[in-house]
Amino acid sequence: MKKYPDKFVGFAALDPRRPDAMDLLKRAVEDHGLKGIKFGPIYNGVSLLDPRMEPVYRYCVKHNLPLTMHMGTTFATNAPVELGRPVDVDTIAMRHPDLKMIMAHMAHPWWEECIVVARKQPNVFCEVSALFYRPWQFWNILVCAQEYRIVEHEKIFWGTDFPFTGVAESIAGLRAVNRLVEGTALPRVANETIERILHSNPFAHWWHGGLAV
Amino acid sequence: MIVDCHVNIWEPQHVRPLFAAGTKTARPGEVGIAADADTLHAAMKDVDKAII
């Protein structure tokens, strides 16, 4: 962030298994100026419902920090994917209604669950990073999001998950989402939906009052 | 404006062999695992901001 302040906004990676997790979190935010928290329940093996997460939620609310989370599955054989279900985000959102949470990767393969949770919880969002290379799933995700109207309510954001994908291919993949249904009567992801996601602005929504960048 | 809301940053010593091996199954094609600050800056040249 110090080297490239005009380009990057930094989030702190959280490992709640560490006894000094909260101390590290406070240092990251209060000493180093990081603007949010990143957590992966399936990577740490810690459920969102685990009591160790409660101080994290309270700290995030107190300091207006969004909590972005790898939700859904992963390729790692030892990752307990049951911890990546969006229903847990729904539970936490009801318990902490001022906590801004973001579900990464549309919590695939539970993207319908992700969409309904993002729809019903005002402070819950989702994002489409690292999905375009599964074109059938990606098309289904965006049609479903369109039909549940969460795109027009600015609940979906764009990202790459770099280095797993790059900027150019992610943009191209999003804009080509209708390619596999060409010549069919299947519904289209509207151009407005595509461009709205691509040009979405997390700084306007992920922080109460927005984040000046 | 285009904002990449999900960019990973790490140094080579952060990448353990098990994770590196797992990236080969993450998606079709080759996955580069370099994610240091300079690599990110070059990769993000066409976006306005990136959350890392």
Side-chain angles (χ1 to χ4, degrees):
Chain A
M1 269 63 63
K2 284 184 183 156
K3 194 170 183 182
Y4 302 111
D6 294 335
K7 180 69 79 172
F8 297 139
V9 173
F11 277 34
L14 170 75
D15 183 354
R17 296 169 299 175
R18 294 181 64 128
D20 61 348
M22 285 307 300
D23 289 336
L24 290 174
L25 189 57
K26 287 171 186 174
R27 268 177 45 198
V29 173
E30 295 169 33
D31 296 346
H32 298 294
L34 298 185
K35 301 297 185 189
I37 312 299
K38 171 71 184 292
F39 174 53
I42 66 169
Y43 288 121
N44 295 139
V46 176
S47 166
L48 294 180
L49 310 180
D50 192 294
R52 287 172 289 183
M53 291 300 295
E54 280 299 313
V56 176
Y57 302 143
R58 289 194 297 271
Y59 186 83
C60 285
V61 171
K62 181 178 178 183
H63 293 274
N64 193 14
L65 302 165
L67 176 64
T68 189
M69 301 170 289
H70 179 108
M71 298 302 289
T73 189
T74 186
F75 51 80
T77 54
N78 58 344
V81 293
E82 65 179 344
L83 302 184
R85 298 293 299 259
V87 287
D88 288 351
V89 174
D90 190 51
T91 300
I92 299 304
M94 286 189 282
R95 195 183 296 168
H96 297 279
D98 290 327
L99 174 64
K100 299 259 191 177
M101 290 185 282
I102 303 95
M103 294 181 278
H105 318 305
M106 299 300 289
H108 76 95
W110 299 295
W111 41 270
E112 286 172 315
E113 205 170 294
C114 169
I115 286 167
V116 301
V117 172
R119 182 178 75 148
K120 72 188 288 279
Q121 296 296 351
N123 287 332
V124 174
F125 307 91
C126 46
E127 49 99 328
V128 299
S129 64
L131 293 174
F132 73 86
Y133 49 84
R134 298 186 195 94
W136 175 246
Q137 183 190 65
F138 194 40
W139 175 83
N140 276 274
I141 286 171
L142 294 189
V143 168
C144 185
Q146 192 170 257
E147 291 177 343
Y148 273 98
R149 304 182 66 182
I150 67 167
V151 182
E152 64 193 82
H153 291 293
E154 300 185 285
K155 289 302 198 83
I156 294 192
F157 295 84
W158 181 82
T160 59
D161 198 19
F162 184 87
F164 293 98
T165 82
V167 170
E169 62 175 344
S170 295
I171 292 175
L174 173 60
R175 287 182 165 151
V177 67
N178 290 313
R179 189 168 295 161
L180 81 167
V181 298
E182 282 176 9
T184 75
L186 290 166
R188 301 300 190 263
V189 180
N191 281 340
E192 185 184 345
T193 295
I194 292 169
E195 296 303 317
R196 204 159 187 160
I197 292 172
L198 180 57
H199 297 284
S200 54
N201 183 2
F203 306 120
H205 298 280
W206 291 13
W207 288 262
H208 294 280
L211 182 71
V213 291
Chain B
M1 183 166 75
I2 293 179
V3 178
D4 188 340
C5 76
H6 192 139
V7 178
N8 301 290
I9 183 167
W10 54 62
E11 295 295 331
Q13 62 268 27
H14 298 147
V15 181
R16 303 273 180 94
L18 188 60
F19 183 81
T23 62
K24 296 186 191 328
T25 62
R27 59 165 293 183
E30 198 69 28
V31 174
I33 56 173
D36 55 278
D38 293 333
T39 299
L40 297 190
H41 193 254
M44 294 293 129
K45 64 178 175 58
D46 292 326
V47 305
D48 297 280
K49 296 281 185 186
I51 293 176
I52 65 171

